[in-house]
Amino acid sequence: EVVSMRDRIKEMRSLFVETLKEKGIRRDFSFISRQHGMFSFSGLTAAHVDALRDRYSIHIVSSGRINVAGMTRANIDRLCTAIADVLDD
C-alpha cells in the first residue's frame, strides 16, 4: 500500500503527541497534531534544544522548529524519551 507523504506526516504528528503523553509529559502538545506540513513549532526552548543536542545528538533548530518528516515509527520512542528527559530539567 502506498501512503502519501501528507498522510505519513499526519500519522507521525499524531503518533508524536500520543507518545509524548505515554512518556508522562503533562504539557499539552496536541496543537502539533493540528498543524500541517513537514515542519512544526514545538514550543521547546533553546535550552531544551541544546540539551537534546548535547545529551542525545538530536538536532532541532534553536527556535524549537522540528522536522516532522524526519520522524519515523523506528525513532519516535527515542525522540519522545529524550524530550521527556529535557522537559524534566
Side-chain angles (χ1 to χ4, degrees):
E1 174 185 330
V2 176
V3 177
S4 73
M5 180 62 93
R6 177 184 292 164
D7 289 342
R8 192 188 81 73
I9 289 174
K10 185 176 179 181
E11 177 188 1
M12 288 302 102
R13 285 179 179 280
S14 295
L15 185 59
F16 180 61
V17 172
E18 290 169 23
T19 306
L20 288 172
K21 282 183 194 174
E22 290 171 5
K23 299 291 179 187
I25 294 177
R26 294 184 186 163
R27 183 185 291 193
D28 181 14
F29 282 95
S30 63
F31 64 92
I32 291 175
S33 62
R34 294 187 300 271
Q35 294 174 343
H36 302 280
M38 294 175 49
F39 296 92
S40 179
F41 288 101
S42 65
L44 298 173
T45 66
H48 294 137
V49 170
D50 289 345
L52 287 169
R53 183 193 63 235
D54 296 344
R55 294 183 207 167
Y56 296 97
S57 297
I58 293 173
H59 296 271
I60 297 174
V61 179
S62 61
S63 66
R65 186 170 156 246
I66 56 175
N67 179 354
V68 179
M71 294 178 188
T72 66
R73 288 193 168 275
N75 67 20
I76 199 84
D77 187 72
R78 180 177 180 274
L79 173 63
C80 291
T81 296
I83 291 172
D85 179 52
V86 302
L87 286 176
D88 279 346
D89 290 351

